[in-house]
Amino acid sequence: MKCMIAAGVLLSFSLQSSLVQAEPFTATYKVTMTQTAAHPYALGANKFGDLVKERTNGRIQLKVFTDSTLAKGEREMLEGLQQGTIDIYVGSTGPVGNFSPSMLIVDIPFLFRDYDHVDKVLDGPIGKQLLADVDKSGFKGLAFWENGFRHVSNNKVTAKTPEEAKGLKLRTMENKAHMLAFKTAGLNPTPMAYSEVYSALQVGVIDGQENPVAVFYASKLNEIQKYLSLTGHVYSPALVLFSQKKWNRIPKEDQEIIAKAALETAAFERKLNRDDEDKKLKEMEGKGLVVVRDVNKEAWQKAMQPAFDEFAKQFGKDKIDAIIQTK
């Protein structure tokens, strides 16, 4: 009889235990970037965080760190993602090519025609495959956001043609496609962490740099650069990457919420970047910046063609043609 009572007690305890709800998953993740709080990266990250917080009823929150607060440069941020010491990266694709070589294809000079072409490629099968490739490198690729078409700035010449810009010591990202493109065009590409660029320009360690308008504006480079030449030589996507180590600890239903929010924010961040571009250029012109609009893009494209051809060999003409022919 005593055994039966004991068994009943144990069964009752077991049933009660099975009815106890597991504690809901909660977490706070840090979003890191090199750019300032005024850049579309940061504004997009705040929107991303708002969506995640709202859809998880506050269980999951994102905290945004700008201005290279958590790591000096994008390469260090990506290494931190792999190690799990950094949670989320919002930044250019340029350094990602060092970890996921297939990503270098988007940094080939004069590959994209315009923003409409960009969206069709990155939101379609090609973009999805590139994100899947990133997942093999210790990252979880969530979405393509945007940095924009890159332009050359410097203090010496208008740089309407590569011949005029020949010999300029130009800061680039640590990206093989970018460095090869400028080298073949006759410039002196100098890879450097973005956090060091402003001071390097101030003291003349470099003559200029190349970046989209949003970066140039947010970093106030117009204060120390005379010319901004609208070369549009490379379109620079941005990536939202999660540390794979951290991602694997998140329940599947919450992973879906985060991934969907990152994709939804892409449209917001891209529109914000594009709508403000002309306004920012005019504002900086009013403060003395010379915006060189009559750039000879054909000359720049011709000068960079050897780099284009070199990477066509690396990635395969079929893959490049698939991007070019996307309608």
Side-chain angles (χ1 to χ4, degrees), residues 169-181:
K169 193 171 185 182
L170 198 76
R171 179 268 175 182
T172 67
M173 289 186 287
E174 189 180 346
N175 177 282
K176 294 176 183 177
H178 290 198
M179 290 187 286
L180 181 59

Side-chain angles (χ1 to χ4, degrees), residues 4-19:
M4 291 178 63
I5 294 172
V9 171
L10 285 171
L11 178 61
S12 175
F13 179 77
S14 177
L15 287 171
Q16 288 177 22
S17 298
S18 68
L19 294 174

Side-chain angles (χ1 to χ4, degrees), residues 62-217:
L62 308 184
K63 191 172 181 181
V64 180
F65 291 82
T66 61
D67 301 281
S68 301
T69 304
L70 301 183
K72 183 175 72 171
E74 289 181 323
R75 186 181 183 92
E76 289 83 354
M77 292 175 185
L78 293 166
E79 289 170 347
L81 277 186
Q82 287 183 319
Q83 296 160 8
T85 57
I86 285 178
D87 304 326
I88 304 171
Y89 163 91
V90 178
S92 59
T93 55
V96 178
N98 296 307
F99 300 84
S100 180
S102 64
M103 191 61 69
L104 281 170
I105 197 169
V106 299
D107 288 290
I108 293 175
F110 295 102
L111 181 63
F112 292 98
R113 296 186 295 275
D114 50 35
Y115 284 128
D116 185 57
H117 184 210
V118 163
D119 293 345
K120 285 182 170 59
V121 171
L122 297 184
D123 294 338
I126 294 171
K128 289 175 183 176
Q129 183 58 55
L130 290 171
L131 286 177
D133 289 347
V134 163
D135 291 355
K136 303 168 188 174
S137 304
F139 315 131
K140 173 60 185 175
L142 296 181
F144 280 105
W145 289 5
E146 179 170 281
N147 203 1
F149 282 94
R150 305 180 78 87
H151 310 293
V152 170
S153 76
N154 78 102
N155 280 325
K156 294 185 174 182
V157 295
T158 60
K160 292 180 182 180
T161 66
E163 182 64 31
E164 186 186 6
K166 191 173 182 179
L168 281 179
K169 193 171 185 182
L170 198 76
R171 179 268 175 182
T172 67
M173 289 186 287
E174 189 180 346
N175 177 282
K176 294 176 183 177
H178 290 198
M179 290 187 286
L180 181 59
F182 282 109
K183 187 175 181 180
T184 58
L187 284 75
N188 182 7
T190 306
M192 181 184 297
Y194 191 71
S195 58
E196 300 171 8
V197 171
Y198 194 97
S199 59
L201 288 169
Q202 271 186 316
V203 299
V205 171
I206 50 176
D207 301 315
Q209 58 87 58
E210 52 86 47
N211 257 306
V213 171
V215 176
F216 192 88
Y217 178 87

